[in-house]
Amino acid sequence: MTTTFAFIFPGQGSQFIGMGKDLAEAYPAAREVFEIVDASLQQDLSRLIWEGTDDELKLTANTQPALMAVSLAAIRALQSEGVSLDQAAFVAGHSLGEYSALAASGAIELADAARILRIRGNAMQAAVPAGEGAMAALLGATPEQAVALCELGRAEGGICEIANDNAPGQIVISGSKAAVELAASKTGEVGIKKAMMLPVSAPFHCSMMQPAADEMMSALSDIEIKAPVVPLIANVTAAPTSDPAEIRGHLIEQVCGQVRWRESVEFMVSQGIELTVEAGAGKVLSVMNRRTAKEIEGLTLGTPEDIESVAKRLG
């Protein structure tokens, strides 16, 4: 019996030193991905990924192309085992993972994806001076409670917006430091258990990122986007699209827009998705998805052993 599945691609926070090295050693197709990314960035990024320091890898401008490279290496390794990407019903990625999804599905060339993510990482880092923005995770909050809390945070004129709706009870807010800290101090007023300030370098996915969105509009106008071989479930709409112009627009909106991951998973389930295959580093999304839909099975695609077992399952 055929399983209806989607390929999903992780975002920032999943990275670790050494990720993807065993894939590159085991699969020539995976090794080639790292070679193309290194050449397109004119940097030995693969060496940084495998032998560098956490601090280097954590720099947004390195993290973004690095995670995409590992995701694509996993996909190419799986393809070399005879699994075709168009066996999936959808692709979806969390934040920068959306670029990995588009590269995997043939909508963006691998070298272009690496270059655009380097630009995106630098632009997001530069959009807000250090120390002026903040993000906080709300534990046990509903979307309605998060909206109410953001209103309290904005009471003194700062920016406070929902950045990520990841899963039930797992919402992240983003904005100006004063407004997010004010919101975090008022969780009890709207019935939220707790807010945890996050150790991030910038307030991602909020309107303070507008300078980065403007830069991405310019950068994305220079690259070709084709229709993906299977529809992409976009972060900003939680709905499928295969239209290149629409995809380009969504990628620009995504810089300031909310990552609607919970709704994306709910949409997948509504379309009969029984299984997700998380391509790349770690299993953050697979664990998160179970909070949204207990019935959805999650497989990971990060090691040669994973490649073999997933190829057997999907073959």
Side-chain angles (χ1 to χ4, degrees):
M1 197 174 78
T2 312
T3 304
T4 308
F5 74 97
F7 283 114
I8 58 174
F9 298 84
Q12 218 154 320
S14 296
Q15 71 276 359
F16 59 90
I17 293 295
M19 60 181 182
K21 189 176 186 191
D22 49 359
L23 290 177
E25 287 169 352
Y27 292 95
R31 188 163 59 251
E32 188 187 13
V33 168
F34 290 105
E35 288 165 0
I36 291 169
V37 169
D38 286 352
S40 71
L41 295 177
Q42 299 180 308
Q43 175 195 8
D44 196 349
L45 185 66
S46 49
R47 185 169 176 186
L48 189 158
I49 296 169
W50 300 333
E51 300 168 18
T53 65
D54 269 337
D55 286 346
E56 277 181 299
L57 186 58
K58 262 193 237 161
L59 291 172
T60 303
N62 289 328
T63 311
Q64 298 203 13
L67 281 166
M68 185 277 299
V70 175
S71 287
L72 266 287
I75 288 290
R76 297 282 191 263
L78 187 66
Q79 288 173 318
S80 74
E81 292 281 2
V83 176
S84 169
L85 197 114
D86 61 11
Q87 288 174 232
F90 301 104
V91 292
H94 192 282
S95 191
L96 84 89
E98 193 151 272
Y99 287 83
S100 309
L102 289 165
S105 59
I108 297 178
E109 289 294 329
L110 172 59
D112 285 339
R115 281 192 293 269
I116 209 92
L117 283 172
R118 168 59 48 84
I119 293 167
R120 184 178 184 267
N122 281 326
M124 290 171 84
Q125 199 59 67
V128 178
E132 288 187 16
M135 298 179 79
L138 310 181
L139 306 184
T142 65
E144 295 73 24
Q145 287 171 324
V147 167
L149 187 68
C150 285
E151 281 175 20
L152 293 177
R154 288 193 293 268
E156 290 168 25
I159 288 169
C160 189
E161 297 161 9
I162 296 175
N164 301 42
D165 180 358
N166 285 329
Q170 201 174 336
I171 293 174
V172 177
I173 60 173
S174 182
S176 56
K177 191 167 187 279
V180 172
E181 286 178 346
L182 180 62
S185 72
K186 292 182 176 290
T187 50
E189 292 181 31
V190 293
I192 295 171
K193 272 190 277 191
K194 178 178 178 187
M196 281 171 53
M197 300 302 291
L198 296 177
V200 293
S201 53
F204 302 121
H205 297 291
C206 77
S207 52
M208 291 176 80
M209 285 283 122
Q210 190 57 49
D214 294 341
E215 198 163 332
M216 291 309 289
M217 184 185 288
S218 165
L220 283 162
S221 68
D222 292 338
I223 70 160
E224 184 186 10
I225 299 179
K226 295 184 278 218
V229 295
V230 296
L232 168 83
I233 300 171
N235 280 187
V236 293
T237 61
T241 181
S242 295
D243 177 70
E246 213 169 70
I247 288 168
R248 197 184 303 271
H250 289 338
L251 288 174
I252 296 161
E253 284 174 58
Q254 189 226 56
V255 179
C256 296
Q258 185 185 139
V259 178
R260 295 169 63 182
W261 191 256
R262 173 185 56 82
E263 293 167 85
S264 297
V265 174
E266 287 171 349
F267 174 79
M268 288 186 222
V269 172
S270 77
Q271 300 301 299
I273 295 295
E274 305 161 80
L275 169 72
T276 59
V277 179
E278 183 171 358
K283 55 177 182 179
V284 170
L285 297 179
S286 302
V287 171
M288 213 152 66
N289 293 352
R290 297 271 298 166
R291 296 183 65 161
T292 300
K294 285 200 167 45
E295 68 274 31
I296 205 164
E297 186 187 356
L299 297 180
T300 54
L301 203 59
T303 66
E305 295 72 31
D306 293 340
I307 304 291
E308 283 175 32
S309 66
V310 171
K312 209 171 284 181
R313 175 75 183 272
L314 301 177

